[in-house]
Structure formats: C-alpha cells, structure tokens
Amino acid sequence: PPTGGTAFVTVYRVYLGTEASLNGSSLLAEVAVGEHSLGIGSPAAPFDPSNWTHLGVYAANADEQASDGAWSALLDRGVPRAGAVDLAFTDTSLETDVLTGTLTWQHPTPATDID
C-alpha cells in the first residue's frame, strides 16, 4: 500500500460493490486529491443502483492502492414502485349523507419495494 501518509495519495478510487469489499466490485470513478465528493446520477443521466449495494473509496497513487478503504451501504430513497392494493371501504352508517366505517388496504406486491 502507499506509504508515507497522505502526502503520497494522488487519487481516490470510488467503487461500486455488492458487499463492503473489493470482491466483485467495479471502479466507478477516480477523483483528484483535493476533491472530497463525487456527484452520482442526475435527472439527465440517472444512476440505477439495482446491481449494487455499497460504495467504497480507496486512496491510491501511481504505484498502488491502499489495502483498506471506507465503505457505505447504498440506501435508495426513491418512491415505492407499487401502490397499496385491494382498497375497500364499508359504510356502516344507516343514514344518508353520513359515512361511518373502515377503510382497508393491502401492502403492494412485492412488499420489498417499500422501505
């Protein structure tokens, strides 16, 4: 791994992974020293995280990459792809123009679309 502390870091490598390690990961970008962020996705070019569960960052230089990096789980805060189903309302009032009763519904299918 690079030695000599941060003075020898010349680039940060950002990876997409299926776990918090380089196993099965893919290099997303290289970021210059001095930069401490990377924009991912935009309205014009959205990022699809469906194949990835983690982001990792490793310090590197022209000789090698550090053996340890920092990893974070991806949490997609998107809108659920499915809505409630089997909506039903039963009016229990016997009076006209008066509603009393219970509204019921079921979870969307698949329920894994809900955080």
Short mmCIF file of all heavy atoms in Angstrom, two decimals, residues 2 8 10 13 60-65:
data_model
loop_
_atom_site.label_atom_id
_atom_site.label_comp_id
_atom_site.label_asym_id
_atom_site.label_seq_id
_atom_site.Cartn_x
_atom_site.Cartn_y
_atom_site.Cartn_z
N PRO A 2 0.31 2.38 -0.40
CA PRO A 2 1.10 3.61 -0.35
C PRO A 2 1.58 3.87 1.07
O PRO A 2 0.87 3.62 2.02
CB PRO A 2 0.10 4.69 -0.80
CG PRO A 2 -0.93 3.96 -1.60
CD PRO A 2 -1.01 2.60 -0.98
N PHE A 8 1.53 11.00 -0.05
CA PHE A 8 1.71 10.17 -1.22
C PHE A 8 0.40 9.77 -1.90
O PHE A 8 0.40 9.04 -2.87
CB PHE A 8 2.52 8.91 -0.86
CG PHE A 8 3.95 9.24 -0.53
CD1 PHE A 8 4.36 9.39 0.78
CD2 PHE A 8 4.87 9.43 -1.55
CE1 PHE A 8 5.67 9.71 1.08
CE2 PHE A 8 6.19 9.75 -1.25
CZ PHE A 8 6.60 9.90 0.07
N THR A 10 -2.43 10.38 -4.40
CA THR A 10 -2.59 11.22 -5.59
C THR A 10 -3.99 11.13 -6.19
O THR A 10 -4.35 11.94 -7.03
CB THR A 10 -1.57 10.84 -6.67
OG1 THR A 10 -1.73 9.46 -7.01
CG2 THR A 10 -0.14 11.08 -6.17
N ARG A 13 -10.04 6.37 -5.48
CA ARG A 13 -10.79 5.50 -6.37
C ARG A 13 -12.11 5.15 -5.70
O ARG A 13 -12.15 4.68 -4.57
CB ARG A 13 -9.99 4.24 -6.68
CG ARG A 13 -8.77 4.55 -7.52
CD ARG A 13 -8.05 3.31 -7.97
NE ARG A 13 -6.88 3.68 -8.75
CZ ARG A 13 -5.71 3.09 -8.66
NH1 ARG A 13 -5.54 2.06 -7.83
NH2 ARG A 13 -4.70 3.49 -9.41
N ALA A 60 -5.06 6.09 -3.32
CA ALA A 60 -4.10 5.42 -4.20
C ALA A 60 -3.08 6.42 -4.71
O ALA A 60 -3.23 7.63 -4.57
CB ALA A 60 -4.83 4.76 -5.37
N ASN A 61 -2.03 5.87 -5.33
CA ASN A 61 -1.06 6.67 -6.08
C ASN A 61 -0.66 5.87 -7.31
O ASN A 61 -1.28 4.84 -7.61
CB ASN A 61 0.14 7.06 -5.20
CG ASN A 61 0.96 5.87 -4.72
OD1 ASN A 61 0.96 4.80 -5.31
ND2 ASN A 61 1.67 6.07 -3.61
N ALA A 62 0.32 6.32 -8.04
CA ALA A 62 0.70 5.66 -9.28
C ALA A 62 1.24 4.25 -9.05
O ALA A 62 1.21 3.42 -9.96
CB ALA A 62 1.74 6.49 -10.02
N ASP A 63 1.72 3.98 -7.84
CA ASP A 63 2.30 2.66 -7.56
C ASP A 63 1.27 1.64 -7.11
O ASP A 63 1.29 0.50 -7.55
CB ASP A 63 3.39 2.78 -6.48
CG ASP A 63 4.57 3.59 -6.96
OD1 ASP A 63 4.94 3.45 -8.15
OD2 ASP A 63 5.10 4.38 -6.16
N GLU A 64 0.40 2.03 -6.19
CA GLU A 64 -0.55 1.07 -5.62
C GLU A 64 -1.75 1.76 -5.03
O GLU A 64 -1.80 2.99 -4.93
CB GLU A 64 0.13 0.26 -4.50
CG GLU A 64 0.80 -1.01 -4.96
CD GLU A 64 1.26 -1.82 -3.77
OE1 GLU A 64 0.42 -2.54 -3.20
OE2 GLU A 64 2.44 -1.72 -3.43
N GLN A 65 -2.67 0.93 -4.59
CA GLN A 65 -3.88 1.38 -3.90
C GLN A 65 -3.81 0.89 -2.46
O GLN A 65 -3.32 -0.21 -2.19
CB GLN A 65 -5.10 0.77 -4.59
CG GLN A 65 -6.41 1.04 -3.93
CD GLN A 65 -7.56 0.57 -4.79
OE1 GLN A 65 -7.85 1.14 -5.81
NE2 GLN A 65 -8.21 -0.51 -4.36
#
